[in-house]
């Protein structure tokens, strides 16, 4: 894989690589080494969060990779318990990541008090307007919760990052995001999949790849951003090696049908 991998346009003249590298539970030196291995394997999009406690290691890996900052797309996330402290949280993220801006800042979960939702979103937009984030979005939001933000501010979240996989495929949710111009970003592609499912195994064998690679390719062919995590060098490389084959329309339909 090289840096001309597929990207998706987001609001605000920003493009996000469809394949990203997940870093939840990749902490300390192992986390730093995993991100370095990912950048070496060709990923140009790293997903972190204040909650993951590894922004410092992500920042160090990006620096050590020798890549230019503008060639790596970095996402981080605001924990819901930081309501009212959004600005100090993004400043701490930028300091830990050792960067002037993130490419995407997400609200990690909807705030538990529904009345906090709009004020938090306004703070996200303010951070974007001050160039601390190139674009902003949400995570774990329902379509109804996204509509509330749009109605109140006329600003659409660029992304909604939610748990997603063939088993969780839901045509209506997919279409609802598309209709609103919200990019769908899937997390836990493997944890939410049965990699021994006979349909995935058959399709993997037909392309001489693994079921995990089929799951990732299925996301990309649907233009769903996908962020597999691994701390295992061979898996980091294999998970990035998904651009040498593509799925037929019939295979895509068979995988879509796994959600029953
Ligand atoms: N917004 C949210 O609320 C939220 C929630 C969860 C996750 N996320 C993000 O999404 C990323 C991915 O989700 P996730 O970490 O929950 O799960 P995941 O990427 O679906 O699965 C990671 C697990 O799969 C293993 N694995 C990696 N490649 C594999 C392969 N080719 N074959 C078989 N197993 C493989 C990993 O093991 P090894 O590491 O041991 O190789 C690890 O145990 C996270 O890291 C995080 O960045 C966001």
């Amino acid at each position: 894989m090289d840096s001309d991998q597929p990207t998706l346009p987001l609001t605000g003249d920003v493009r996000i690589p469809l394949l990203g590298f997940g870093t939840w539970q990749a902490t300390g030196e192992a986390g730093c080494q995993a991100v370095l291995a990912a950048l070496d394997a060709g990923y140009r999009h790293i997903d972190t969060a204040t909650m993951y406690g590894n922004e410092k290691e992500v920042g160090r890996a990006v620096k050590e990779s020798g890549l230019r900052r503008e060639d790596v797309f970095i996402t981080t996330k605001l924990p819901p318990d930081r309501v009212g402290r959004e600005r100090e949280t993004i400043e701490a993220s930028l300091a830990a990541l050792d960067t002037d801006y993130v490419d995407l800042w997400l609200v990690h979960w909807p705030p538990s008090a529904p009345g906090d939702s709009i004020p938090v979103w306004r703070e996200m937009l303010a951070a974007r307007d001050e160039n601390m984030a190139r674009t902003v979005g949400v995570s774990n939001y329902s379509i109804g919760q996204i509509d509330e933000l749009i109605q109140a501010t006329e600003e659409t979240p660029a992304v909604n990052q939610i748990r997603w996989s063939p088993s969780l495929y839901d045509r209506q949710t997919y279409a609802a995001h598309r209709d609103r111009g919200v990019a769908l970003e899937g997390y836990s592609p493997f944890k939410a999949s049965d990699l021994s499912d006979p349909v995935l195994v058959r399709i993997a064998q037909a392309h001489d790849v693994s079921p995990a690679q089929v799951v990732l390719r299925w996301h990309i062919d649907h233009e769903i951003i996908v962020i597999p995590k691994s701390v295992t060098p061979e898996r980091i490389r294999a998970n990035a090696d998904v651009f040498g084959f593509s799925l037929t329309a019939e295979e895509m339909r068979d995988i879509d049908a796994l959600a029953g």
Side-chain angles (χ1 to χ4, degrees):
M1 188 173 77
D2 57 29
S3 50
D4 61 3
Q5 57 184 284
T7 57
L8 194 69
L10 302 177
T11 50
D13 200 21
V14 175
R15 296 194 79 92
I16 185 169
L18 279 166
L19 178 72
F21 185 67
T23 68
W24 181 37
Q25 299 173 318
T27 53
E29 189 51 31
C32 183
Q33 290 307 318
V35 175
L36 257 178
L39 293 169
D40 185 57
Y43 297 79
R44 292 293 179 267
H45 165 186
I46 310 292
D47 182 82
T48 181
T50 296
M51 279 278 300
Y52 301 169
N54 61 8
E55 289 173 309
K56 206 172 170 147
E57 287 75 13
V58 169
R60 185 150 59 84
V62 171
K63 281 268 149 71
E64 281 181 22
S65 73
L67 290 164
R68 294 184 305 176
R69 171 65 188 88
E70 59 268 37
D71 291 334
V72 184
F73 190 103
I74 302 177
T75 300
T76 195
K77 313 187 192 83
L78 173 86
D81 65 0
R82 303 294 175 95
V83 172
R85 291 186 291 146
E86 295 85 356
R87 194 187 170 93
E88 70 182 76
T89 305
I90 185 74
E91 283 174 353
S93 286
L94 298 180
L97 286 161
D98 195 12
T99 182
D100 296 336
Y101 67 92
V102 289
D103 296 278
L104 176 62
W105 193 32
L106 302 177
V107 187
H108 207 146
W109 289 282
S112 47
D116 286 341
S117 207
I118 307 299
V120 167
W121 183 234
R122 290 198 197 281
E123 290 297 325
M124 302 293 287
L125 296 168
R128 180 205 60 192
D129 291 345
E130 289 178 52
N131 300 319
M132 291 191 273
R134 290 175 70 216
T135 190
V136 288
V138 295
S139 178
N140 298 304
Y141 275 53
S142 67
I143 290 296
Q145 289 166 327
I146 289 174
D147 283 343
E148 280 175 30
L149 303 184
I150 299 171
Q151 275 157 19
T153 64
E154 293 182 10
E155 293 264 18
T156 303
V159 164
N160 188 21
Q161 186 183 111
I162 56 177
R163 192 171 166 91
W164 197 260
S165 74
S167 327
L168 299 176
Y169 180 65
D170 173 51
R171 204 175 291 274
Q172 277 185 345
T173 304
Y174 177 75
H177 283 85
R178 185 153 279 210
D179 291 348
R180 286 160 180 75
V182 178
L184 186 53
E185 176 166 14
Y187 69 70
S188 300
F190 304 140
K191 287 183 190 163
S193 293
D194 174 6
L195 295 177
S196 61
D197 184 283
V199 170
L200 294 178
V201 170
R202 166 176 57 80
I203 294 172
Q205 284 171 347
H207 293 280
D208 200 18
V209 297
S210 69
Q213 288 169 311
V214 170
V215 167
L216 299 177
R217 185 71 217 195
W218 171 84
H219 284 78
I220 289 162
D221 285 352
H222 269 312
E223 295 198 312
I224 296 168
I225 304 150
V226 64
I227 48 174
K229 172 264 179 186
S230 176
V231 291
T232 313
E234 312 83 72
R235 285 173 168 177
I236 292 171
R237 280 193 295 275
N239 294 343
D241 187 14
V242 292
F243 299 104
F245 71 103
S246 54
L247 301 168
T248 66
E250 195 182 346
E251 288 168 339
M252 289 294 285
R253 278 195 296 274
D254 288 349
I255 302 170
D256 291 353
L258 290 177

